[in-house]
Amino acid sequence: MPAKPKLRGYAMELPGLVTVDPANEELAVRLAEMGGDAFLEELWTVELLSALPVGSRGADRERFLSRAIIMNDIVVGAPYQAVYCLEDASALAVAYLKSDLEGLTWAHLEEKADRILMEEVLSEEEAAALAVQLERMAPISVFDWEEREQKEGDFIHFVMLAVDATKRGTGRFRKLMTPFFDYADEHGIPCYLETYSDSLQALYEHVGFEVCHVFESPDFAITERAMVRKPQK
């Protein structure tokens, strides 16, 4: 991961979490591997990778690409203090405070991550196929809705969350999320995320999120559920 110095102090200092340094390539790779493996279960990732050319299909290539997708999110997010993990790297959050993006939006950073994927990771045939699939999936890939909803004021947006498969059911998820919630409640700001999974929707509802928008497409069986956790007094 290329080093990029932080331009100023950042607001969210979260007790109990490691803020991933842009220059810590070893930790970034470890987290990308864990997160990428977890996201092979994510229905959005499954739909995207289903468009791979026949010669690129298979568990090894799909795992490599899922890890690359997460790695690119880490690469573009870490310079803005948008990548956090537990001290043992068993849980990962790519999440940002809007004001920490210094006037940018996550959509801007995601475009950069997509360019890295298309230009540096994928073959020409893979890039062409996934570009078409991404365009088809646009109606269920609405990741800037929170910007429209929260035109003024700060918020936290969880871009992705992952817990090591071998550590699930051990309280890692709550341990990861609690510092974010404490910060949000203290500052009176909402938290946003998206999911495609019934089980994850139930998990997020259990910790205070509620569905506020559903994005659908007749071309796909999966639906995007946009969720908000309002600050709690």
Side-chain angles (χ1 to χ4, degrees):
M1 177 187 296
K4 176 179 177 181
K6 294 179 179 178
L7 302 180
R8 60 173 177 80
Y10 287 79
M12 280 204 301
E13 300 294 341
L14 304 179
L17 299 185
V18 174
T19 305
V20 178
D21 189 289
N24 193 339
E25 184 172 358
E26 181 179 353
L27 178 59
V29 169
R30 182 179 174 188
L31 292 170
E33 290 177 352
M34 183 274 290
D37 291 353
F39 258 61
L40 280 173
E41 304 171 15
E42 169 61 57
L43 297 178
W44 186 91
T45 306
V46 172
E47 288 289 352
L48 176 66
L49 297 184
S50 70
L52 284 170
V54 174
S56 297
R57 294 176 188 169
D60 289 345
R61 184 59 178 171
E62 290 172 17
R63 181 179 298 107
F64 172 82
L65 293 178
S66 184
R67 290 177 172 183
I69 291 169
I70 302 304
M71 184 63 174
N72 291 339
D73 281 345
I74 293 173
V75 166
V76 300
Y80 297 93
Q81 192 170 303
V83 185
Y84 302 83
C85 66
L86 293 183
E87 292 180 356
D88 64 356
S90 62
L92 165 68
V94 177
Y96 64 90
L97 185 69
K98 177 186 177 182
S99 57
D100 273 349
L101 294 191
E102 301 174 343
L104 300 177
T105 65
W106 184 261
H108 175 90
L109 298 180
E110 194 66 45
E111 288 178 5
K112 181 178 179 181
D114 288 345
R115 285 198 302 272
I116 296 172
L117 184 72
M118 294 293 180
E119 296 172 5
E120 300 182 15
V121 178
L122 301 175
S123 69
E124 290 186 10
E125 188 178 13
E126 289 171 339
L130 293 192
V132 171
Q133 185 73 336
L134 284 170
E135 185 173 352
R136 292 183 63 236
M137 292 176 66
I140 56 168
S141 303
V142 184
F143 304 130
D144 63 350
W145 64 275
E146 80 293 340
E147 287 284 347
R148 299 194 295 267
E149 182 134 322
Q150 192 79 10
K151 293 181 180 179
E152 295 183 4
D154 230 340
F155 62 81
I156 296 171
H157 181 206
F158 294 96
V159 177
M160 67 87 61
L161 297 163
V163 175
D164 188 321
T166 66
K167 300 295 194 303
R168 293 175 186 170
T170 62
R172 293 312 204 275
F173 175 74
R174 187 172 289 277
K175 187 175 181 181
L176 176 71
M177 300 298 283
T178 296
F180 289 103
F181 294 161
D182 289 345
Y183 183 94
D185 293 343
E186 179 183 355
H187 292 83
I189 61 175
C191 298
Y192 297 120
L193 56 73
E194 301 83 36
T195 188
Y196 297 82
S197 162
D198 293 342
S199 60
L200 287 179
Q201 177 182 328
L203 173 63
Y204 299 146
E205 288 173 338
H206 184 67
V207 296
F209 284 90
E210 58 188 56
V211 174
C212 54
H213 301 289
V214 175
F215 300 101
E216 301 176 289
S217 168
D219 295 330
F220 298 95
I222 64 173
T223 59
E224 177 185 3
R225 305 90 184 265
M227 305 186 74
V228 59
R229 178 189 180 274
K230 297 175 183 178
Q232 300 178 13
K233 304 298 184 182

